[in-house]
Amino acid sequence: MVEQWKSRSGFILATIGAAVGLGNIWRFAYVAGENGGGVFLMTYLFFVALIGLPLVIAELSIGRRGASDTVTAFEVAGGSTRWRLIGWIMVGGALLILSYYSVIAGWAVRYFVGALSGDLWQDAGEKYGAYFEGFISNDFEPLFWQALILIVSGVVVAGGIQKGIERLNLVLMPLLGLIVLGLAVFSLTLPGSGAGVRFLLAPDWSAFGRPSLYLAALGQAFFSLGLGMAVFVTYGGYLSASTRIPGAAATVAAGDTVFAIVAGLAIFPAVFALGGDPAAGPRLAFVVFPQILLQLPGGTFIGPIFFFLLSAAALTSMISLLEVAVACASHRMGLARNRGSWAIVAIVLALGVPSALSYGMLAEVKLLGQPILDNIDQAVSNFVLPLSGLLVAVLVGWRIERLRTLADADFGDTWLGAVWLWSIRTLAPITIAVILLRSLGVV
Ligand code: PHE
């Protein structure tokens, strides 16, 4: 018998913890910044509601039916051992994400410590770019901080579902919600912040013509929700039959989206108020933002809070990805939870070395003109995640018999269920396929 969540709210907070992460703060801000702000937000919201939410429901229902690890759950759902392959692909994907995600999480921890000790503020003025470059190009430091946050994640996962994962999220997630709200209020009271709000909320309609917008918004929707990596399959495996999946999934999707928007309202108004560049790319949170903080009254007090938020949000997502693999190691390979957790942490550290060194020792190794980490991030978010989502949609929509699939998702034969099934069968697979093929230049 596998462990179960202690309470519905514990499950919801843990799942929101998985969804809310670097994707909502670091990635959302820079991808929205690069893709025109308001237009990006609208496209993103559209994908979350029509494709993301239905797929969260689908993953949770596969997971709960399997009541085990991801690989077993796919076998049960597909009705034959062949479907295990999708489970293994997703576990591999989760390890791959974790390998570079933990590098950026490590940067956040390093910045938190630097902001707290004052080290970060000493190199004032225009030097933040050099500070950041100096840190990420070091041959050892990024690995150290990556290992540190991975070990913390390992401790939590080794603690188990209720005593480790659920307990941490019950404390951390409400706290992170309060912090991000507080930061947004602070940012919105700055003189000149209105331009940042307009940038994020007022769409410039002409930008809808750009094809790259759609791939970026779809990739971000998948990444931010945490879809396609079997996190919901795994967390759904510990869910009791009495929790209704659609309501829980809607709460999680809404929580993740609101978090991203509020984080955007903390970042963009400050960036605009002080004349920063919203399209600064992945450096936005680590270079532009600290520079801005230093120019603000109270900025050096806000700094540690912001980087704590970033580190803690990353931690709860890393835990969910780790759990995907640890559940498989324990159910399919018979490893005890404790041993399984440390074995997976070691594998992820080894896999993560190229990412950790991709601006240092390996800076010369470039693919498509980009460093290794940027390539993995884009390949995973824009292709691997949507592709796994497509496979889940085919399995849940077409392979499983209609009434059973509706019952597994707690819809029954209702009109809402019909809308959900229409998205899973038609809208989601077609939209994903068209966007992927277009971006590969096939159609
Ligand atoms: N959703 C997480 C974030 O926004 C990242 C993640 C992706 C987590 C895929 C799990 C699975 O940072």
Side-chain angles (χ1 to χ4, degrees):
M1 179 71 192
V2 288
E3 223 185 317
Q4 286 207 335
W5 302 104
K6 199 165 183 179
S7 66
R8 178 179 187 270
S9 51
F11 158 71
I12 296 215
L13 285 175
T15 314
I16 292 184
V20 168
L22 294 170
N24 301 61
I25 309 164
W26 164 75
R27 201 174 191 282
F28 175 81
Y30 92 74
V31 179
E34 285 178 339
N35 287 281
V39 205
F40 175 82
L41 182 62
M42 280 194 67
T43 318
Y44 167 76
L45 289 178
F46 184 79
F47 285 148
V48 167
L50 290 175
I51 298 177
L53 175 58
L55 280 171
V56 174
I57 297 174
E59 275 201 25
L60 283 173
S61 68
I62 295 180
R64 188 173 60 190
R65 178 162 201 108
S68 182
D69 62 281
T70 297
V71 174
T72 312
F74 275 96
E75 180 181 339
V76 171
S80 91
T81 51
R82 267 182 304 163
W83 289 89
R84 277 188 203 160
L85 184 64
I86 302 187
W88 285 119
I89 292 176
M90 286 197 181
V91 175
L95 292 178
L96 192 65
I97 285 212
L98 206 46
S99 74
Y100 81 88
Y101 194 89
S102 54
V103 173
I104 301 158
W107 298 354
V109 180
R110 163 73 180 78
Y111 268 63
F112 167 60
V113 173
L116 210 55
S117 71
D119 175 42
L120 179 62
W121 315 117
Q122 247 132 53
D123 287 295
E126 298 300 305
K127 299 222 193 79
Y128 280 102
Y131 183 90
F132 182 61
E133 278 347 308
F135 163 57
I136 63 174
S137 64
N138 191 293
D139 285 338
F140 170 71
E141 264 211 77
L143 264 173
F144 170 80
W145 297 101
Q146 176 196 19
L148 185 72
I149 191 156
L150 264 171
I151 290 172
V152 176
S153 320
V155 170
V156 179
V157 173
I161 303 304
Q162 291 190 1
K163 296 216 174 83
I165 302 179
E166 186 166 354
R167 204 155 62 173
L168 179 83
N169 278 290
L170 273 172
V171 179
L172 220 42
M173 292 320 291
L175 178 67
L176 297 188
L178 285 178
I179 292 181
V180 78
L181 266 178
L183 290 177
V185 170
F186 171 81
S187 208
L188 289 170
T189 51
L190 298 172
S193 62
V197 179
R198 275 193 299 280
F199 174 74
L200 188 61
L201 301 182
D204 157 19
W205 301 102
S206 67
F208 279 114
R210 252 189 294 150
S212 58
L213 169 71
Y214 300 93
L215 185 67
L218 185 74
Q220 177 61 18
F222 269 81
F223 188 88
S224 183
L225 286 169
L227 274 171
M229 288 293 101
V231 163
F232 298 110
V233 177
T234 306
Y235 278 13
Y238 312 128
L239 189 59
S240 76
S242 63
T243 299
R244 309 274 95 189
I245 287 179
T251 311
V252 172
D256 184 62
T257 307
V258 170
F259 205 105
I261 295 176
V262 177
L265 289 176
I267 295 174
F268 289 116
V271 169
F272 274 83
L274 287 139
D277 176 13
R283 304 155 57 94
L284 191 60
F286 291 98
V287 178
V288 181
F289 203 61
Q291 208 150 27
I292 282 166
L293 287 178
L294 197 68
Q295 300 171 40
L296 295 174
T300 51
F301 174 70
I302 300 281
I305 301 181
F306 175 76
F307 287 108
F308 171 77
L309 169 74
L310 203 56
S311 313
L315 177 69
T316 53
S317 298
M318 286 173 62
I319 287 167
S320 70
L321 288 161
L322 209 53
E323 178 60 24
V324 171
V326 171
C328 280
S330 83
H331 297 146
R332 307 218 53 107
M333 299 170 189
L335 278 181
R337 171 168 284 278
N338 200 14
R339 279 185 168 215
S341 305
W342 296 116
I344 304 285
V345 165
I347 293 175
V348 171
L349 250 181
L351 275 178
V353 172
S355 292
L357 301 181
S358 62
Y359 305 95
M361 214 185 282
L362 302 177
E364 296 309 309
V365 186
K366 290 211 163 104
L367 256 165
L368 307 167
Q370 285 182 325
I372 301 171
L373 188 147
D374 301 59
N375 275 304
I376 304 183
D377 177 41
Q378 272 162 27
V380 167
S381 322
N382 294 350
F383 295 99
V384 180
L385 299 184
L387 210 61
S388 326
L390 189 72
L391 292 173
V392 167
V394 171
L395 170 64
V396 171
W398 296 100
R399 166 86 189 166
I400 304 174
E401 187 260 325
R402 183 174 173 275
L403 284 179
R404 199 193 110 188
T405 218
L406 283 168
D408 282 352
D410 294 331
F411 276 118
D413 205 359
T414 57
W415 69 267
L416 211 55
V419 174
W420 171 71
L421 206 53
W422 170 75
S423 168
I424 289 294
R425 284 189 165 171
T426 319
L427 183 71
I430 292 181
T431 313
I432 296 172
V434 168
I435 292 181
L436 287 186
L437 292 175
R438 277 210 75 141
S439 58
L440 291 172
V442 182
V443 290

